[in-house]
Amino acid sequence: MGNIFRFYKDVDTDQIIASQYIIFPTIDEMKGHTFESLDPQFAEKVKPGDFVVADVNFGCGSSREQAPSVLKALGVKAVIAKSFARIFYRNSINIGLPVLICKDLYDNVEAGDEMDVNFEEGTITAGGKTFTCTKLPENLQAILDQGGLIASLDKED
């Protein structure tokens, strides 16, 4: 179980991690500025196992890999949205951050609600209700289970 941090539609990668922070040498140095323009205390409030829930087109904007990386570094268990920008979705899988599409979740939960995800079944439980979300194909789930694409490729050697 984790808490929900809820964001609206069209959250772009610059709102996830602003461009002035991607010059920092490490993700650890960047992560304290995650969602700074939308929720200045996000990095202090989020705990490992919490979730980001959003409306449509989450992660639009530039293709910066740092956007999903700072979320993962803060311990976000998964990002669930009505839809994702394609490059954010792919970058998330590449770095090992689960991203799920769930059309009904956003409109039925509030920030701070507790939630749990069953990745194998493709279900989310929140507020006493169960929602169906995308079930990742076996090959993508295997990549996530191994920590991302590079970690997955390294294990093939």
mmCIF file of all heavy atoms in Angstrom, residues 95-134:
data_model
loop_
_atom_site.group_PDB
_atom_site.id
_atom_site.type_symbol
_atom_site.label_atom_id
_atom_site.label_comp_id
_atom_site.label_asym_id
_atom_site.label_seq_id
_atom_site.Cartn_x
_atom_site.Cartn_y
_atom_site.Cartn_z
ATOM 1 N N ILE A 95 14.186 2.671 -17.657
ATOM 2 C CA ILE A 95 14.904 2.854 -16.387
ATOM 3 C C ILE A 95 14.300 2.026 -15.251
ATOM 4 O O ILE A 95 14.790 2.057 -14.135
ATOM 5 C CB ILE A 95 15.006 4.355 -15.999
ATOM 6 C CG1 ILE A 95 13.637 5.006 -15.776
ATOM 7 C CG2 ILE A 95 15.807 5.115 -17.032
ATOM 8 C CD1 ILE A 95 13.316 5.180 -14.348
ATOM 9 N N GLY A 96 13.203 1.304 -15.538
ATOM 10 C CA GLY A 96 12.636 0.400 -14.545
ATOM 11 C C GLY A 96 11.552 0.989 -13.668
ATOM 12 O O GLY A 96 11.323 0.516 -12.554
ATOM 13 N N LEU A 97 10.858 2.029 -14.146
ATOM 14 C CA LEU A 97 9.744 2.616 -13.411
ATOM 15 C C LEU A 97 8.438 2.132 -14.025
ATOM 16 O O LEU A 97 8.151 2.434 -15.180
ATOM 17 C CB LEU A 97 9.794 4.154 -13.472
ATOM 18 C CG LEU A 97 8.620 4.884 -12.824
ATOM 19 C CD1 LEU A 97 8.640 4.703 -11.307
ATOM 20 C CD2 LEU A 97 8.648 6.368 -13.192
ATOM 21 N N PRO A 98 7.626 1.379 -13.288
ATOM 22 C CA PRO A 98 6.349 0.902 -13.840
ATOM 23 C C PRO A 98 5.402 2.049 -14.180
ATOM 24 O O PRO A 98 5.237 2.994 -13.399
ATOM 25 C CB PRO A 98 5.768 0.042 -12.717
ATOM 26 C CG PRO A 98 6.947 -0.365 -11.903
ATOM 27 C CD PRO A 98 7.879 0.814 -11.964
ATOM 28 N N VAL A 99 4.803 1.973 -15.352
ATOM 29 C CA VAL A 99 3.801 2.932 -15.815
ATOM 30 C C VAL A 99 2.594 2.149 -16.312
ATOM 31 O O VAL A 99 2.730 1.233 -17.107
ATOM 32 C CB VAL A 99 4.351 3.852 -16.927
ATOM 33 C CG1 VAL A 99 5.221 4.942 -16.360
ATOM 34 C CG2 VAL A 99 5.145 3.074 -17.970
ATOM 35 N N LEU A 100 1.424 2.499 -15.793
ATOM 36 C CA LEU A 100 0.207 1.777 -16.135
ATOM 37 C C LEU A 100 -0.865 2.752 -16.602
ATOM 38 O O LEU A 100 -0.995 3.857 -16.072
ATOM 39 C CB LEU A 100 -0.315 1.020 -14.922
ATOM 40 C CG LEU A 100 0.633 0.003 -14.289
ATOM 41 C CD1 LEU A 100 0.061 -0.503 -12.979
ATOM 42 C CD2 LEU A 100 0.883 -1.142 -15.252
ATOM 43 N N ILE A 101 -1.643 2.318 -17.562
ATOM 44 C CA ILE A 101 -2.774 3.105 -18.030
ATOM 45 C C ILE A 101 -4.027 2.579 -17.356
ATOM 46 O O ILE A 101 -4.303 1.378 -17.382
ATOM 47 C CB ILE A 101 -2.908 3.019 -19.563
ATOM 48 C CG1 ILE A 101 -1.675 3.652 -20.216
ATOM 49 C CG2 ILE A 101 -4.190 3.700 -20.029
ATOM 50 C CD1 ILE A 101 -1.574 3.421 -21.706
ATOM 51 N N CYS A 102 -4.755 3.504 -16.736
ATOM 52 C CA CYS A 102 -6.017 3.173 -16.080
ATOM 53 C C CYS A 102 -6.974 4.334 -16.334
ATOM 54 O O CYS A 102 -6.771 5.428 -15.814
ATOM 55 C CB CYS A 102 -5.829 2.938 -14.587
ATOM 56 S SG CYS A 102 -7.336 2.383 -13.763
ATOM 57 N N LYS A 103 -7.976 4.110 -17.151
ATOM 58 C CA LYS A 103 -8.893 5.175 -17.570
ATOM 59 C C LYS A 103 -9.781 5.682 -16.437
ATOM 60 O O LYS A 103 -10.179 6.837 -16.428
ATOM 61 C CB LYS A 103 -9.772 4.699 -18.727
ATOM 62 C CG LYS A 103 -9.004 4.264 -19.959
ATOM 63 C CD LYS A 103 -8.370 5.430 -20.658
ATOM 64 C CE LYS A 103 -7.718 4.982 -21.959
ATOM 65 N NZ LYS A 103 -6.930 6.016 -22.577
ATOM 66 N N ASP A 104 -10.119 4.848 -15.457
ATOM 67 C CA ASP A 104 -11.110 5.210 -14.441
ATOM 68 C C ASP A 104 -10.528 5.657 -13.105
ATOM 69 O O ASP A 104 -11.237 6.262 -12.295
ATOM 70 C CB ASP A 104 -12.044 4.019 -14.181
ATOM 71 C CG ASP A 104 -12.795 3.612 -15.431
ATOM 72 O OD1 ASP A 104 -13.221 4.509 -16.172
ATOM 73 O OD2 ASP A 104 -12.949 2.394 -15.660
ATOM 74 N N LEU A 105 -9.272 5.388 -12.843
ATOM 75 C CA LEU A 105 -8.703 5.646 -11.524
ATOM 76 C C LEU A 105 -8.700 7.128 -11.154
ATOM 77 O O LEU A 105 -9.163 7.512 -10.085
ATOM 78 C CB LEU A 105 -7.284 5.076 -11.430
ATOM 79 C CG LEU A 105 -6.604 5.241 -10.072
ATOM 80 C CD1 LEU A 105 -7.295 4.393 -9.015
ATOM 81 C CD2 LEU A 105 -5.134 4.886 -10.178
ATOM 82 N N TYR A 106 -8.184 7.972 -12.026
ATOM 83 C CA TYR A 106 -7.984 9.392 -11.720
ATOM 84 C C TYR A 106 -9.254 10.067 -11.205
ATOM 85 O O TYR A 106 -9.204 10.843 -10.249
ATOM 86 C CB TYR A 106 -7.463 10.122 -12.964
ATOM 87 C CG TYR A 106 -7.235 11.593 -12.748
ATOM 88 C CD1 TYR A 106 -6.070 12.050 -12.142
ATOM 89 C CD2 TYR A 106 -8.177 12.539 -13.139
ATOM 90 C CE1 TYR A 106 -5.851 13.405 -11.927
ATOM 91 C CE2 TYR A 106 -7.970 13.891 -12.935
ATOM 92 C CZ TYR A 106 -6.804 14.314 -12.332
ATOM 93 O OH TYR A 106 -6.591 15.664 -12.116
ATOM 94 N N ASP A 107 -10.379 9.788 -11.825
ATOM 95 C CA ASP A 107 -11.641 10.434 -11.469
ATOM 96 C C ASP A 107 -12.269 9.868 -10.201
ATOM 97 O O ASP A 107 -13.286 10.383 -9.736
ATOM 98 C CB ASP A 107 -12.636 10.330 -12.627
ATOM 99 C CG ASP A 107 -12.145 11.074 -13.861
ATOM 100 O OD1 ASP A 107 -11.585 12.182 -13.704
ATOM 101 O OD2 ASP A 107 -12.303 10.541 -14.982
ATOM 102 N N ASN A 108 -11.683 8.815 -9.640
ATOM 103 C CA ASN A 108 -12.273 8.155 -8.477
ATOM 104 C C ASN A 108 -11.389 8.129 -7.241
ATOM 105 O O ASN A 108 -11.696 7.430 -6.279
ATOM 106 C CB ASN A 108 -12.668 6.718 -8.855
ATOM 107 C CG ASN A 108 -13.842 6.693 -9.798
ATOM 108 O OD1 ASN A 108 -14.974 6.924 -9.385
ATOM 109 N ND2 ASN A 108 -13.583 6.449 -11.081
ATOM 110 N N VAL A 109 -10.269 8.861 -7.286
ATOM 111 C CA VAL A 109 -9.376 8.923 -6.135
ATOM 112 C C VAL A 109 -8.977 10.361 -5.855
ATOM 113 O O VAL A 109 -9.110 11.233 -6.712
ATOM 114 C CB VAL A 109 -8.101 8.060 -6.328
ATOM 115 C CG1 VAL A 109 -8.451 6.588 -6.461
ATOM 116 C CG2 VAL A 109 -7.280 8.542 -7.511
ATOM 117 N N GLU A 110 -8.475 10.573 -4.658
ATOM 118 C CA GLU A 110 -7.987 11.893 -4.253
ATOM 119 C C GLU A 110 -6.547 11.766 -3.778
ATOM 120 O O GLU A 110 -6.105 10.681 -3.394
ATOM 121 C CB GLU A 110 -8.846 12.445 -3.106
ATOM 122 C CG GLU A 110 -10.296 12.685 -3.475
ATOM 123 C CD GLU A 110 -10.485 13.730 -4.561
ATOM 124 O OE1 GLU A 110 -9.677 14.681 -4.623
ATOM 125 O OE2 GLU A 110 -11.438 13.592 -5.358
ATOM 126 N N ALA A 111 -5.848 12.870 -3.781
ATOM 127 C CA ALA A 111 -4.495 12.901 -3.230
ATOM 128 C C ALA A 111 -4.555 12.442 -1.778
ATOM 129 O O ALA A 111 -5.463 12.819 -1.037
ATOM 130 C CB ALA A 111 -3.917 14.300 -3.331
ATOM 131 N N GLY A 112 -3.611 11.591 -1.398
ATOM 132 C CA GLY A 112 -3.551 11.098 -0.027
ATOM 133 C C GLY A 112 -4.259 9.773 0.185
ATOM 134 O O GLY A 112 -4.026 9.105 1.191
ATOM 135 N N ASP A 113 -5.128 9.371 -0.747
ATOM 136 C CA ASP A 113 -5.776 8.062 -0.635
ATOM 137 C C ASP A 113 -4.715 6.967 -0.676
ATOM 138 O O ASP A 113 -3.669 7.126 -1.313
ATOM 139 C CB ASP A 113 -6.758 7.822 -1.790
ATOM 140 C CG ASP A 113 -8.038 8.636 -1.693
ATOM 141 O OD1 ASP A 113 -8.248 9.321 -0.666
ATOM 142 O OD2 ASP A 113 -8.829 8.593 -2.656
ATOM 143 N N GLU A 114 -5.017 5.848 -0.025
ATOM 144 C CA GLU A 114 -4.123 4.690 -0.099
ATOM 145 C C GLU A 114 -4.503 3.834 -1.295
ATOM 146 O O GLU A 114 -5.683 3.734 -1.657
ATOM 147 C CB GLU A 114 -4.208 3.856 1.179
ATOM 148 C CG GLU A 114 -3.424 4.440 2.318
ATOM 149 C CD GLU A 114 -3.222 3.439 3.441
ATOM 150 O OE1 GLU A 114 -3.955 2.425 3.523
ATOM 151 O OE2 GLU A 114 -2.309 3.666 4.244
ATOM 152 N N MET A 115 -3.501 3.200 -1.862
ATOM 153 C CA MET A 115 -3.712 2.418 -3.072
ATOM 154 C C MET A 115 -2.723 1.260 -3.114
ATOM 155 O O MET A 115 -1.639 1.337 -2.541
ATOM 156 C CB MET A 115 -3.487 3.352 -4.268
ATOM 157 C CG MET A 115 -3.755 2.733 -5.602
ATOM 158 S SD MET A 115 -3.609 3.974 -6.898
ATOM 159 C CE MET A 115 -1.932 3.688 -7.398
ATOM 160 N N ASP A 116 -3.119 0.207 -3.805
ATOM 161 C CA ASP A 116 -2.220 -0.915 -4.039
ATOM 162 C C ASP A 116 -2.395 -1.373 -5.478
ATOM 163 O O ASP A 116 -3.488 -1.269 -6.043
ATOM 164 C CB ASP A 116 -2.511 -2.063 -3.073
ATOM 165 C CG ASP A 116 -1.337 -3.033 -2.967
ATOM 166 O OD1 ASP A 116 -0.204 -2.636 -3.320
ATOM 167 O OD2 ASP A 116 -1.545 -4.168 -2.538
ATOM 168 N N VAL A 117 -1.328 -1.883 -6.070
ATOM 169 C CA VAL A 117 -1.338 -2.341 -7.459
ATOM 170 C C VAL A 117 -0.915 -3.795 -7.510
ATOM 171 O O VAL A 117 0.063 -4.187 -6.874
ATOM 172 C CB VAL A 117 -0.377 -1.503 -8.338
ATOM 173 C CG1 VAL A 117 -0.306 -2.052 -9.752
ATOM 174 C CG2 VAL A 117 -0.797 -0.045 -8.366
ATOM 175 N N ASN A 118 -1.665 -4.577 -8.266
ATOM 176 C CA ASN A 118 -1.269 -5.942 -8.569
ATOM 177 C C ASN A 118 -0.837 -5.944 -10.034
ATOM 178 O O ASN A 118 -1.674 -5.949 -10.935
ATOM 179 C CB ASN A 118 -2.417 -6.918 -8.332
ATOM 180 C CG ASN A 118 -1.995 -8.355 -8.536
ATOM 181 O OD1 ASN A 118 -1.231 -8.661 -9.457
ATOM 182 N ND2 ASN A 118 -2.495 -9.239 -7.700
ATOM 183 N N PHE A 119 0.464 -5.891 -10.252
ATOM 184 C CA PHE A 119 0.994 -5.786 -11.604
ATOM 185 C C PHE A 119 0.685 -7.023 -12.435
ATOM 186 O O PHE A 119 0.414 -6.920 -13.627
ATOM 187 C CB PHE A 119 2.509 -5.540 -11.575
ATOM 188 C CG PHE A 119 2.882 -4.217 -10.981
ATOM 189 C CD1 PHE A 119 3.352 -4.139 -9.680
ATOM 190 C CD2 PHE A 119 2.755 -3.047 -11.709
ATOM 191 C CE1 PHE A 119 3.698 -2.917 -9.121
ATOM 192 C CE2 PHE A 119 3.086 -1.820 -11.161
ATOM 193 C CZ PHE A 119 3.562 -1.757 -9.863
ATOM 194 N N GLU A 120 0.727 -8.192 -11.814
ATOM 195 C CA GLU A 120 0.482 -9.433 -12.545
ATOM 196 C C GLU A 120 -0.949 -9.538 -13.047
ATOM 197 O O GLU A 120 -1.201 -10.027 -14.140
ATOM 198 C CB GLU A 120 0.828 -10.636 -11.671
ATOM 199 C CG GLU A 120 2.314 -10.765 -11.393
ATOM 200 C CD GLU A 120 2.618 -11.894 -10.421
ATOM 201 O OE1 GLU A 120 1.706 -12.626 -10.013
ATOM 202 O OE2 GLU A 120 3.807 -12.020 -10.060
ATOM 203 N N GLU A 121 -1.904 -9.072 -12.238
ATOM 204 C CA GLU A 121 -3.309 -9.151 -12.628
ATOM 205 C C GLU A 121 -3.786 -7.910 -13.370
ATOM 206 O O GLU A 121 -4.851 -7.919 -13.987
ATOM 207 C CB GLU A 121 -4.183 -9.371 -11.391
ATOM 208 C CG GLU A 121 -3.987 -10.730 -10.756
ATOM 209 C CD GLU A 121 -4.886 -10.933 -9.548
ATOM 210 O OE1 GLU A 121 -5.840 -10.148 -9.357
ATOM 211 O OE2 GLU A 121 -4.621 -11.879 -8.790
ATOM 212 N N GLY A 122 -3.023 -6.818 -13.281
ATOM 213 C CA GLY A 122 -3.437 -5.578 -13.917
ATOM 214 C C GLY A 122 -4.600 -4.921 -13.194
ATOM 215 O O GLY A 122 -5.520 -4.399 -13.821
ATOM 216 N N THR A 123 -4.545 -4.955 -11.852
ATOM 217 C CA THR A 123 -5.615 -4.342 -11.061
ATOM 218 C C THR A 123 -5.039 -3.374 -10.041
ATOM 219 O O THR A 123 -3.902 -3.517 -9.592
ATOM 220 C CB THR A 123 -6.465 -5.393 -10.326
ATOM 221 O OG1 THR A 123 -5.613 -6.161 -9.463
ATOM 222 C CG2 THR A 123 -7.187 -6.304 -11.301
ATOM 223 N N ILE A 124 -5.876 -2.404 -9.694
ATOM 224 C CA ILE A 124 -5.530 -1.402 -8.696
ATOM 225 C C ILE A 124 -6.662 -1.369 -7.683
ATOM 226 O O ILE A 124 -7.834 -1.376 -8.061
ATOM 227 C CB ILE A 124 -5.380 -0.013 -9.343
ATOM 228 C CG1 ILE A 124 -4.213 -0.014 -10.336
ATOM 229 C CG2 ILE A 124 -5.205 1.068 -8.282
ATOM 230 C CD1 ILE A 124 -4.131 1.229 -11.182
ATOM 231 N N THR A 125 -6.311 -1.338 -6.403
ATOM 232 C CA THR A 125 -7.310 -1.230 -5.349
ATOM 233 C C THR A 125 -7.102 0.101 -4.637
ATOM 234 O O THR A 125 -5.993 0.406 -4.182
ATOM 235 C CB THR A 125 -7.175 -2.383 -4.334
ATOM 236 O OG1 THR A 125 -7.220 -3.621 -5.051
ATOM 237 C CG2 THR A 125 -8.279 -2.346 -3.306
ATOM 238 N N ALA A 126 -8.177 0.887 -4.584
ATOM 239 C CA ALA A 126 -8.142 2.188 -3.905
ATOM 240 C C ALA A 126 -9.552 2.543 -3.472
ATOM 241 O O ALA A 126 -10.510 2.335 -4.222
ATOM 242 C CB ALA A 126 -7.588 3.262 -4.835
ATOM 243 N N GLY A 127 -9.683 3.060 -2.264
ATOM 244 C CA GLY A 127 -10.984 3.501 -1.774
ATOM 245 C C GLY A 127 -12.037 2.411 -1.757
ATOM 246 O O GLY A 127 -13.211 2.680 -2.002
ATOM 247 N N GLY A 128 -11.610 1.183 -1.518
ATOM 248 C CA GLY A 128 -12.550 0.076 -1.465
ATOM 249 C C GLY A 128 -13.023 -0.410 -2.824
ATOM 250 O O GLY A 128 -13.876 -1.294 -2.915
ATOM 251 N N LYS A 129 -12.473 0.148 -3.898
ATOM 252 C CA LYS A 129 -12.853 -0.257 -5.258
ATOM 253 C C LYS A 129 -11.661 -0.880 -5.957
ATOM 254 O O LYS A 129 -10.506 -0.582 -5.639
ATOM 255 C CB LYS A 129 -13.326 0.949 -6.073
ATOM 256 C CG LYS A 129 -14.573 1.609 -5.564
ATOM 257 C CD LYS A 129 -14.930 2.783 -6.461
ATOM 258 C CE LYS A 129 -16.158 3.514 -5.937
ATOM 259 N NZ LYS A 129 -16.465 4.694 -6.750
ATOM 260 N N THR A 130 -11.958 -1.736 -6.921
ATOM 261 C CA THR A 130 -10.911 -2.329 -7.745
ATOM 262 C C THR A 130 -11.067 -1.825 -9.170
ATOM 263 O O THR A 130 -12.163 -1.825 -9.728
ATOM 264 C CB THR A 130 -10.986 -3.868 -7.710
ATOM 265 O OG1 THR A 130 -10.816 -4.290 -6.343
ATOM 266 C CG2 THR A 130 -9.899 -4.488 -8.557
ATOM 267 N N PHE A 131 -9.954 -1.377 -9.737
ATOM 268 C CA PHE A 131 -9.930 -0.836 -11.096
ATOM 269 C C PHE A 131 -9.056 -1.725 -11.969
ATOM 270 O O PHE A 131 -8.050 -2.256 -11.509
ATOM 271 C CB PHE A 131 -9.350 0.585 -11.089
ATOM 272 C CG PHE A 131 -10.105 1.530 -10.206
ATOM 273 C CD1 PHE A 131 -9.758 1.685 -8.871
ATOM 274 C CD2 PHE A 131 -11.163 2.264 -10.710
ATOM 275 C CE1 PHE A 131 -10.451 2.559 -8.045
ATOM 276 C CE2 PHE A 131 -11.865 3.147 -9.894
ATOM 277 C CZ PHE A 131 -11.516 3.285 -8.563
ATOM 278 N N THR A 132 -9.447 -1.847 -13.221
ATOM 279 C CA THR A 132 -8.654 -2.606 -14.182
ATOM 280 C C THR A 132 -7.750 -1.641 -14.928
ATOM 281 O O THR A 132 -8.188 -0.583 -15.384
ATOM 282 C CB THR A 132 -9.563 -3.337 -15.188
ATOM 283 O OG1 THR A 132 -10.429 -4.203 -14.456
ATOM 284 C CG2 THR A 132 -8.748 -4.150 -16.176
ATOM 285 N N CYS A 133 -6.477 -2.002 -15.012
ATOM 286 C CA CYS A 133 -5.521 -1.181 -15.752
ATOM 287 C C CYS A 133 -4.818 -2.053 -16.785
ATOM 288 O O CYS A 133 -5.074 -3.250 -16.859
ATOM 289 C CB CYS A 133 -4.512 -0.542 -14.799
ATOM 290 S SG CYS A 133 -3.569 -1.709 -13.805
ATOM 291 N N THR A 134 -3.953 -1.429 -17.542
ATOM 292 C CA THR A 134 -3.200 -2.199 -18.523
ATOM 293 C C THR A 134 -2.331 -3.212 -17.798
ATOM 294 O O THR A 134 -1.737 -2.917 -16.765
ATOM 295 C CB THR A 134 -2.278 -1.295 -19.367
ATOM 296 O OG1 THR A 134 -1.488 -0.506 -18.494
ATOM 297 C CG2 THR A 134 -3.061 -0.433 -20.317
#
